[in-house]
């Protein structure tokens, strides 16, 4: 952090943000903070300001554009940015001042975002927490309560707020595909010795809830201010695939009348909830997922069907996803009164490129899983 670059930023170093990640993570994109207010909470989602260091058209930028995303394989990471940036300069490591982009959301007791503010900030993470430890705290561990005494009360408040945000999303009809993902135990030589089910605890879901809220908030801000942006879009399911899914459900005695034509996200969600206890549930989930369109990036705010959100973008991971870096730059331009750095055909090309690179990364990760199996 160069002191001459601090003016013009909101100084949040006296607040209490911290990071929560997996035990082996080194690139900390996001920190969270929470303050209780009279009518609810102020949730802060603080994102590494990668755009401050990776300037448009630079060699770093060209390489990041080419890669599109970091690729996370079982025993290695192929990063989008050099390690000095992704694990060092940009990473929100504890007790280090960092430049950030912050979404501050005023949320009422019902879990509704009633006000929001996007700002260029400087923050200092006060702790580096691990999902497993936070889950143990939530499960009543006195040892973790002692170890995290400085932030334990905030974490319990966060847990309450996340529950309210999740309940509101579910009421709007977001689809939660509960698909078991494999995890691998590797020996000292990196060879797989056991396949386990990757668990997603309450701490993981809590951070996901906060990131979804921030992404929605930024996308809404961008649409209202007509910012040239890469939106994360998920269009309505393919009608033919949906009809095949409905035929399958009818064949096993599940009434699929509601989803045969123009199904709303809540209709799909209702089917999944209704069939949760059936032995065919894993097949039902897989076929529901297969009937969906693939999520992608687009310059138009087309909304996200699966999340049941009219506004959505990717803002929270600029260290490892190029579209998030594009979003960060667009916000910076708006907040500093500068012209947007990426518009028109170049922005449309970035949407296509980012979607292609994401698909390549997913294919590589799946191939690595199959190899380990």
């Amino acid at each position: 952090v160069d002191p001459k670059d601090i003016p013009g930023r909101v100084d949040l170093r006296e607040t209490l943000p911290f990071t929560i990640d997996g035990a082996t993570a080194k690139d900390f994109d996001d920190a969270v903070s929470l303050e209780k207010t009279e009518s609810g909470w102020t949730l802060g989602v603080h994102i590494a300001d990668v755009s401050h260091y990776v300037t448009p058209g630079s060699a770093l930028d060209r390489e990041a554009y080419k890669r599109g995303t970091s690729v996370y394989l079982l025993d290695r990471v192929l990063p989008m940015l050099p390690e000095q940036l992704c694990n060092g300069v940009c990473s929100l490591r504890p007790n280090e001042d960092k430049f950030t982009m912050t979404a501050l959301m005023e949320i009422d007791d019902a879990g509704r975002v009633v006000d929001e503010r996007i700002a260029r900030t400087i923050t200092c993470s006060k702790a580096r927490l691990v999902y497993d430890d936070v889950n143990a705290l939530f499960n009543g561990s006195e040892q973790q309560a002692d170890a995290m005494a400085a932030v334990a009360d905030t974490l319990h408040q966060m847990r309450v707020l996340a529950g309210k945000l999740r309940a509101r999303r579910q009421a709007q009809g977001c689809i939660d595909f509960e698909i078991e993902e494999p995890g691998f135990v590797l020996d000292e030589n990196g060879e797989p010795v056991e396949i386990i089910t990757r668990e997603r605890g309450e701490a993981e879901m809590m951070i996901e809830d906060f990131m979804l809220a921030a992404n929605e908030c930024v996308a809404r801000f961008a649409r209202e201010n007509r910012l040239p942006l890469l939106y994360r879009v998920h269009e309505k399911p393919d009608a033919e695939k949906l009809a095949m899914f409905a035929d399958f459900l009818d064949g096993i005695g599940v009434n699929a009348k509601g989803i045969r034509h123009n199904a709303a996200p809540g209709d799909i969600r209702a089917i999944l909830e209704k069939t949760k206890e059936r032995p065919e549930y894993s097949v039902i989930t897989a076929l529901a997922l297969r009937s969906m369109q693939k999520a992608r990036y687009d310059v138009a705010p087309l909304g996200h069907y699966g999340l049941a959100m009219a506004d959505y973008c990717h803002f929270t991971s600029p260290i490892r996803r190029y579209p998030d870096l594009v979003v960060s730059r667009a916000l910076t331009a708006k907040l500093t009164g500068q012209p947007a750095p990426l518009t028109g055909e170049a922005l449309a090309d970035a949407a296509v490129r980012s979607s292609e690179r994401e698909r390549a990364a997913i294919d590589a990760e799946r191939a690595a899983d199959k190899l380990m199996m």
Side-chain angles (χ1 to χ4, degrees):
V1 166
D2 190 330
K4 73 174 171 50
D5 295 325
I6 295 175
R9 290 181 180 267
V10 179
D11 193 337
L12 298 178
R13 286 175 288 186
E14 297 306 310
T15 59
L16 185 67
F18 47 81
T19 62
I20 311 178
D21 290 275
T24 59
K26 294 189 181 75
D27 52 346
F28 308 130
D29 279 293
D30 54 272
V32 289
S33 61
L34 191 71
E35 292 178 15
K36 191 77 181 80
T37 63
E38 283 184 18
S39 57
W41 299 269
T42 301
L43 171 65
V45 174
H46 315 276
I47 305 301
D49 188 0
V50 178
S51 64
H52 181 78
Y53 300 98
V54 182
T55 52
S58 63
L60 279 174
D61 182 50
R62 292 196 303 272
E63 184 66 21
Y65 180 85
K66 184 176 150 190
R67 295 182 180 215
T69 180
S70 295
V71 183
Y72 293 83
L73 302 179
L74 296 158
D75 58 347
R76 74 199 66 192
V77 178
L78 310 176
M80 182 179 80
L81 297 170
E83 266 186 50
Q84 293 96 320
L85 283 179
C86 62
N87 294 353
V89 173
C90 297
S91 188
L92 306 185
R93 300 187 297 197
N95 305 312
E96 294 181 11
D97 290 352
K98 298 287 179 177
F99 287 141
T100 41
M101 299 292 292
T102 294
L104 287 170
M105 293 161 275
E106 300 293 334
I107 304 174
D108 67 15
D109 276 327
R112 286 182 299 235
V113 177
V114 293
D115 197 12
E116 57 209 23
R117 180 188 177 196
I118 314 294
R120 298 168 70 239
T121 53
I122 179 170
T123 54
C124 180
S125 171
K126 302 301 190 287
R128 183 272 198 261
L129 305 183
V130 174
Y131 286 130
D132 289 347
D133 296 343
V134 177
N135 285 324
L137 173 77
F138 289 163
N139 290 328
S141 166
E142 290 184 13
Q143 180 186 350
Q144 292 302 335
D146 292 340
M148 289 187 265
V151 294
D153 287 346
T154 303
L155 284 165
H156 286 301
Q157 284 285 339
M158 285 181 170
R159 184 187 193 186
V160 172
L161 173 58
K164 291 177 183 286
L165 290 172
R166 203 174 309 140
R168 281 193 65 78
R169 261 202 344 274
Q170 289 170 350
Q172 288 167 357
C174 78
I175 309 168
D176 188 13
F177 292 105
E178 294 178 16
I179 293 176
E180 291 187 343
E181 293 186 9
F184 298 87
V185 178
L186 306 180
D187 66 15
E188 62 276 8
N189 300 316
E191 295 294 325
V193 292
E194 188 183 356
I195 301 177
I196 56 174
T197 301
R198 204 176 291 163
E199 298 292 340
R200 193 169 65 127
E202 200 167 352
E204 287 91 336
M205 290 191 288
M206 179 179 82
I207 292 299
E208 186 178 309
D209 293 328
F210 294 165
M211 297 306 121
L212 288 171
N215 286 337
E216 183 180 26
C217 158
V218 166
R220 184 164 54 240
F221 175 85
R223 178 180 55 77
E224 289 172 352
N225 287 279
R226 299 189 174 181
L227 293 190
L229 206 74
L230 289 187
Y231 291 93
R232 180 66 169 174
V233 305
H234 185 223
E235 292 160 284
K236 289 181 178 179
D238 178 84
E240 197 174 315
K241 288 182 178 178
L242 208 54
M244 288 170 65
F245 179 46
D247 288 344
F248 170 78
L249 292 171
D250 285 340
I252 60 169
V254 176
N255 182 358
K257 189 177 179 182
I259 69 160
R260 192 169 287 281
H261 304 290
N262 201 25
D267 298 329
I268 306 285
R269 179 182 180 84
I271 290 286
L272 294 176
E273 286 183 347
K274 186 166 67 175
T275 58
K276 194 168 276 188
E277 302 305 318
R278 290 185 66 127
E280 311 95 338
Y281 181 68
S282 62
V283 180
I284 293 168
T285 306
L287 288 176
L289 192 55
R290 212 170 282 176
S291 70
M292 298 288 120
Q293 302 268 29
K294 285 185 172 66
R296 59 185 179 85
Y297 297 101
D298 200 286
V299 297
L302 303 175
H304 198 291
Y305 181 87
L307 293 173
M309 287 181 181
D311 297 298
Y312 196 66
C313 71
H314 275 169
F315 158 70
T316 52
S317 294
I319 286 176
R320 61 185 181 86
R321 287 190 305 226
Y322 195 79
D324 304 52
L325 177 55
V326 172
V327 168
S328 185
R329 286 175 179 158
L331 293 173
T332 297
K334 172 67 179 174
L335 296 171
T336 56
Q338 304 294 317
L342 199 62
T343 59
E345 196 174 323
L347 186 66
D349 288 346
V352 173
R353 176 72 185 176
S354 297
S355 300
E356 288 172 348
R357 297 318 301 153
E358 178 189 56
R359 178 53 42 195
I362 290 170
D363 289 346
E365 287 163 13
R366 285 179 179 161
D369 279 357
K370 286 179 181 175
L371 182 68
M372 289 294 180
M373 286 177 187

